[in-house]
Amino acid sequence: MLVKRKDLRNIAIIAHVDHGKTTLVDGLLKQAKIFRDNQHVAERVMDSNDLERERGITILSKNTAISIQNTESGDMVKINIVDTPGHADFGGEVERVMNMVDGVLILVDAAEGPMPQTRFVLKKALEIGHKAIVVINKMDRKDADPERVLNDTFDLFIELGATEDQANFPVVYANAITGQAGMTPALEPNLQPLFNTILRDIPAPVVDVDAPFQMLVANIRYDEFLGVTAIGRIFSGKVLNGQRLARLLVNGETVYEQAKYLHVYQGLDRVEVNEADAGDIVVIAGLTDIAIGETLADPENPTALPPIHVEEPTVKMTFGVNKSPFAGSEGKWGTSRKLRERLFEELRNNVALRVEETDDADTFLVSGRGELHLAILIETMRREGYEFQVSRPEAIFINGENGKLLEPFEEVEIDTSQETVGSVVEMLGLRRGQMSNMTNNKDGTVHLSYTVPTRGLLGFRYQFLTATRGTGIMNTFFHGYLDLAPNLSSRGNVSIVAWEAGTATTYGLKNAEERGILFINPGTEVYEGMVVGETAKANEIAVNVCKKKHLTNMRQSNKDIEVRLKTPRTMSLDEAIEYLAEDELLEVTPLAFRIRKRIMNTEKRGRHDKKAKEALV
């Protein structure tokens, strides 16, 4: 029998990067009295791993729960909250958590309005049929324009195909930092208006508590005490602590297991319970080799739920055993066996990732939803002690109708100054970008909308930041597959490469600096074939950066004695990945990352390049 669980709400909070989503969750937890009055609570408490705190973005979806009183009935209502990523590259996280909730909060900035990542996640929510509450945040901004933002948000709902009921969304105004909300721009001193709106407008789960137990595994985590844990929503029936279960694998097999531990969320903690009913989001531990997308069911009636659909990857890279002269000196794990184990283990909870073996036992092909998706994996593995080498990202082509080759395109939204807009337009034109809109922002900047081949965006971001002097803002999300774009330009500059192993000297680097921009300081250990800088010249330059100045008996002027070098360009991991040319690899270790040539020997590389040029003639 179907019943409505009035004591429960399941919601996801989705927003563009840096629109205050995690800060709002902090406020909801604090005002629901989840923490003790004397308890020290870190800011952005839901951003739990180091990478999330450093980058200021949510990478992994996380669960929490609060209990509040319904002011109309006086009953206590539990609200399960899922904090979802705000970047389209982590869309795999978004797509699976949408299966666990009945509605969403769409958080938009009171000045910036709905942005590309909001668009991506909102589309997923509307397709499933979820009801949305729009929260216009950061009402304290001087340039806040809530009326315009509300109109833009409504237009976005209509553009994304919202139904009449979905487009008739409630609006709450808020300032997450101060913990204030209101049904009008005049905010009340707390978040109670938001709590009331959630209880009134987010549907309570309608479930069949008497049907056989069914739960779709939407997430997995590892607990040092409990081992692998499966997280998901119970779609029907109930589950008891210690109950025997049927685990229905994606390939159709059935394995019988036992739910050794059963937990639900309360605040940031997991609380052990004896049973849980349909509609609850639960954590089940003690299962062997559980994977996302599998169904846990009643062993007497094992019926599988529809699997989670995740969009296919658009970018691929190779991950291989580090074969540079420094291999094994800085990392804990570097063998092909360890690399293979780690990559295939990642598939268990990173559903948007693909890993394939290649003809080379030391190399694996890894595909993801974008450069950032793969860069986060690389950085995570680096911090875990792995050392390996990766190639330049490449777009993944597919065959369309009649065998026609198609490639992925991205929608690009850019805000830049009026002084640099010409350079940006020129750069995107060379990369076969098609402009769809150009408007002036109130702050004097210019907003550009483009459709660009994914190939054209590989390596573009760092050039864009250079052209805009670090002030430009760029956001992208997947548009679709279109006909192959012709004659795409590649990286403009070429590399300065070390031709001798040793320690870089000031004298040797001064000779290299006269030809371009350096990437290293004096005292850096280098090897033959390592990239030490870039030049605007037409051809690659090999230099001896370890060269020392010969001493003489002649007096030298102070000018000769004191050699000053410009500060070298320091690249982040993301920039280094984007910088790579087709004939280059990125050596990644726990201590450093270095760009190098695939063929490290200078003479062999020269002969290879000569043959390649002759073949094109």
Side-chain angles (χ1 to χ4, degrees):
M1 181 178 70
L2 293 176
V3 296
K4 182 181 288 189
R5 289 198 57 182
K6 296 182 180 180
D7 64 332
L8 183 66
R9 300 291 188 276
N10 296 317
I11 63 169
I13 301 185
I14 53 183
H16 182 76
V17 177
D18 200 34
H19 276 198
K21 169 171 49 65
T22 310
T23 305
L24 180 64
V25 175
D26 287 357
L28 294 173
L29 290 169
K30 290 173 183 175
Q31 294 196 22
K33 302 297 183 183
I34 293 300
F35 309 111
R36 301 187 309 273
D37 291 339
N38 63 345
Q39 183 175 351
H40 173 71
V41 181
E43 291 185 3
R44 295 188 290 119
V45 67
M46 290 289 279
D47 284 348
S48 54
N49 71 40
D50 293 340
L51 271 176
E52 291 180 318
R53 291 186 180 277
E54 290 171 18
R55 291 173 177 257
I57 61 174
T58 301
I59 297 170
L60 302 173
S61 65
K62 290 170 285 293
N63 299 69
T64 185
I66 58 177
S67 294
I68 60 174
Q69 187 176 37
N70 189 326
T71 55
E72 295 181 359
S73 65
D75 299 327
M76 294 301 293
V77 180
K78 180 178 181 179
I79 303 176
N80 282 310
I81 302 172
V82 184
D83 182 25
T84 62
H87 200 289
D89 278 23
F90 306 109
E93 291 280 323
V94 173
E95 288 159 344
R96 67 181 187 229
V97 300
M98 287 300 159
N99 289 273
M100 294 196 291
V101 299
D102 301 294
V104 296
L105 299 185
I106 305 294
L107 200 65
V108 295
D109 189 289
E112 297 178 1
M115 298 287 279
Q117 313 305 344
T118 311
R119 179 191 185 97
F120 168 78
V121 184
L122 177 59
K123 182 180 180 181
K124 297 296 179 184
L126 295 177
E127 286 174 352
I128 294 176
H130 288 331
K131 185 73 182 289
I133 296 172
V134 173
V135 180
I136 300 179
N137 190 32
K138 300 188 180 182
M139 288 295 294
D140 58 329
R141 287 188 58 163
K142 292 182 180 179
D143 54 348
D145 189 350
E147 185 176 349
R148 173 184 58 80
V149 167
L150 179 56
N151 290 334
D152 291 345
T153 305
F154 177 78
D155 292 342
L156 179 61
F157 270 69
I158 299 303
E159 183 182 341
L160 295 179
T163 64
E164 184 176 347
D165 183 52
Q166 288 174 324
N168 187 26
F169 50 80
V171 182
V172 179
Y173 302 87
N175 184 2
I177 290 181
T178 58
Q180 295 177 271
M183 303 310 294
T184 67
L187 305 183
E188 297 184 21
N190 53 45
L191 294 173
Q192 192 60 44
L194 179 56
F195 286 130
N196 294 340
T197 306
I198 292 172
L199 296 182
R200 184 182 66 246
D201 292 288
I202 297 297
V206 177
V207 295
D208 189 345
V209 294
D210 298 323
F213 170 70
Q214 278 184 309
M215 170 183 147
L216 185 67
V217 179
N219 214 342
I220 61 173
R221 290 286 181 265
Y222 180 80
D223 185 282
E224 58 182 324
F225 300 108
L226 304 178
V228 177
T229 60
I231 304 167
R233 170 178 171 166
I234 302 176
F235 280 82
S236 63
K238 66 169 59 178
V239 62
L240 304 177
N241 199 348
Q243 177 180 327
R244 187 167 174 77
L245 301 172
R247 180 160 66 90
L248 307 176
L249 281 61
V250 178
N251 62 9
E253 295 182 29
T254 301
V255 179
Y256 294 94
E257 306 246 17
Q258 184 180 12
K260 295 180 182 177
Y261 305 96
L262 178 64
H263 294 82
V264 296
Y265 286 97
Q266 188 59 45
L268 297 175
D269 300 322
R270 295 197 306 263
V271 180
E272 189 167 5
V273 293
N274 292 323
E275 66 176 62
D277 297 317
D280 284 326
I281 294 176
V282 298
V283 182
I284 297 178
L287 307 175
T288 306
D289 296 329
I290 190 73
I292 291 172
E294 295 181 352
T295 299
L296 298 177
D298 186 337
E300 302 298 325
N301 188 7
T303 305
L305 290 164
I308 298 172
H309 172 71
V310 178
E311 289 184 1
E312 292 299 311
T314 58
V315 175
K316 61 184 178 182
M317 302 171 68
T318 61
F319 283 50
V321 174
N322 184 17
K323 295 180 179 179
S324 86
F326 292 170
S329 61
E330 297 176 350
K332 185 178 180 182
W333 313 111
T335 65
S336 59
R337 182 176 65 86
K338 282 292 185 182
L339 184 61
R340 184 185 188 281
E341 287 177 359
R342 178 61 181 83
L343 289 174
F344 279 93
E345 179 67 24
E346 183 71 18
L347 295 178
R348 295 169 58 81
N349 57 15
N350 197 337
V351 294
L353 197 74
R354 302 287 185 271
V355 178
E356 302 172 40
E357 301 196 51
T358 66
D359 295 336
D360 183 352
D362 292 338
T363 305
F364 304 88
L365 185 65
V366 182
S367 307
R369 292 284 287 272
E371 282 182 283
L372 182 60
H373 185 200
L374 296 176
I376 292 295
L377 172 60
I378 293 169
E379 179 64 25
T380 302
M381 291 176 60
R382 185 173 82 90
R383 296 186 182 202
E384 292 172 357
Y386 288 85
E387 84 169 57
F388 50 99
Q389 62 188 28
V390 299
S391 68
R392 171 184 170 85
E394 298 177 28
I396 298 175
F397 299 161
I398 64 171
N399 289 318
E401 296 181 3
N402 302 321
K404 195 173 186 180
L405 204 59
L406 305 177
E407 68 172 316
F409 277 67
E410 309 280 333
E411 290 193 30
V412 182
E413 304 288 338
I414 287 175
D415 290 287
T416 187
S417 65
Q418 293 185 358
E419 293 77 17
T420 59
V421 66
S423 299
V424 174
V425 170
E426 182 181 0
M427 291 165 65
L428 286 173
L430 292 173
R431 293 169 178 266
R432 299 301 175 188
Q434 296 292 323
M435 184 190 295
S436 58
N437 192 24
M438 181 176 180
T439 56
N440 292 320
N441 297 325
K442 286 189 174 182
D443 60 0
T445 60
V446 180
H447 181 81
L448 302 171
S449 298
Y450 270 85
T451 302
V452 187
T454 300
R455 277 189 302 152
L457 292 177
L458 299 177
F460 172 73
R461 192 178 298 269
Y462 91 92
Q463 293 182 5
F464 166 74
L465 291 174
T466 301
T468 60
R469 305 179 187 92
T471 61
I473 299 174
M474 183 177 79
N475 293 286
T476 65
F477 65 99
F478 181 62
H479 173 76
Y481 277 90
L482 301 173
D483 292 343
L484 211 61
N487 303 324
L488 271 173
S489 63
S490 57
R491 190 180 80 193
N493 294 345
V494 296
S495 297
I496 300 175
V497 186
W499 80 18
E500 184 177 289
T503 303
T505 65
T506 303
Y507 182 71
L509 288 174
K510 187 62 180 177
N511 291 332
E513 185 185 66
E514 293 172 356
R515 306 179 183 187
I517 300 171
L518 295 177
F519 294 163
I520 63 172
N521 283 306
T524 302
E525 294 295 322
V526 301
Y527 51 78
E528 184 180 9
M530 179 173 156
V531 175
V532 296
E534 69 173 341
T535 178
K537 305 219 178 259
N539 297 315
E540 169 194 307
I541 299 174
V543 296
N544 182 5
V545 294
C546 305
K547 187 177 182 180
K548 297 179 180 179
K549 187 171 184 177
H550 295 294
L551 298 177
T552 68
N553 291 326
M554 297 178 61
R555 291 175 61 93
Q556 296 176 324
S557 67
N558 290 336
K559 183 177 180 181
D560 290 332
I561 294 173
E562 184 179 0
V563 177
R564 293 185 180 275
L565 295 173
K566 296 177 183 176
T567 303
R569 179 183 163 205
T570 303
M571 286 192 281
S572 65
L573 176 65
D574 298 28
E575 289 174 322
I577 292 171
E578 289 188 348
Y579 179 83
L580 291 174
E582 292 182 6
D583 66 337
E584 294 172 349
L585 296 170
L586 181 66
E587 175 190 2
V588 181
T589 77
L591 301 182
F593 43 88
R594 308 175 184 90
I595 299 170
R596 71 168 180 85
K597 291 295 180 178
R598 289 179 183 266
I599 303 174
M600 289 182 286
N601 183 275
T602 305
E603 292 183 6
K604 290 181 179 179
R605 189 169 65 253
R607 289 196 297 268
H608 178 273
D609 292 345
K610 183 178 179 181
K611 289 181 181 179
K613 289 179 180 178
E614 290 174 351
L616 294 175
V617 177

